[in-house]
Amino acid sequence: MDLTIHTTVLPHDDPDESLAFYRDVLGFEVRNDVGQGRMRWITVGPAGQPGTSILLAPPAVDPGITEDERRTIAEMMAKGTYGWILLATADLDAVFERIQAGDTEVVQEPTQQPYGVRDCAFRDPAGNLVRIQEVR
């Protein structure tokens, strides 16, 4: 089998804030932006990696989701426990400084973990956890 990861999805509750974060703070390219108002689906991805994307999407819009599920998703997003992603970089300190300068909520400064990786963590505007590992 020949499989690759093409797109992963993270929820947003303010498309303009999320777009500014992923484009301006992380430096991702905007690949697609459809919809209007809060009902926008925005595809972003790292420059030079056209085959890998993040779809920033409004949460709980599937018509099969119940009102209880919508409330649960909203509660989890508010606590920052609904969505997360793991990114990688060769220069964690430089990336951390750039992100921190963007007035982003830092969850963890660069730290050497006991399981062998050095990483940091922060939250995007929707509360999603973004972890970044240093790879060499």
Side-chain angles (χ1 to χ4, degrees):
M1 231 187 291
D2 182 22
L3 295 174
T4 61
I5 296 173
H6 182 260
T7 305
T8 190
V9 179
L10 288 176
H12 71 67
D13 53 6
D14 184 318
D16 292 323
E17 282 186 0
S18 290
L19 176 60
F21 175 76
Y22 284 92
R23 180 192 60 211
D24 303 338
V25 176
L26 292 185
F28 284 0
E29 299 174 330
V30 178
R31 306 218 172 116
N32 206 358
D33 186 345
V34 298
Q36 58 186 339
R38 291 192 176 274
M39 296 299 285
R40 283 170 57 198
W41 286 259
I42 304 164
T43 306
V44 297
Q49 297 180 41
T52 303
S53 299
I54 299 171
L55 173 61
L56 305 169
V61 294
D62 185 313
I65 295 176
T66 68
E67 285 306 313
D68 284 342
E69 291 167 330
R70 281 185 176 78
R71 276 192 297 279
T72 299
I73 290 169
E75 289 169 4
M76 291 179 72
M77 284 181 66
K79 292 188 324 186
T81 58
Y82 185 67
W84 68 280
I85 192 164
L86 179 59
L87 304 175
T89 183
D91 189 349
L92 186 63
D93 293 321
V95 170
F96 181 79
E97 284 181 32
R98 177 181 171 153
I99 294 168
Q100 191 174 29
D103 196 30
T104 303
E105 179 188 348
V106 175
V107 175
Q108 173 203 304
E109 293 189 8
T111 303
Q112 183 66 41
Q113 300 293 352
Y115 45 87
V117 299
R118 186 166 180 262
D119 67 358
C120 67
F122 54 94
R123 296 210 184 281
D124 77 3
N128 298 307
L129 183 67
V130 179
R131 295 195 74 83
I132 301 177
Q133 289 185 347
E134 189 169 55
V135 293
R136 295 182 184 224

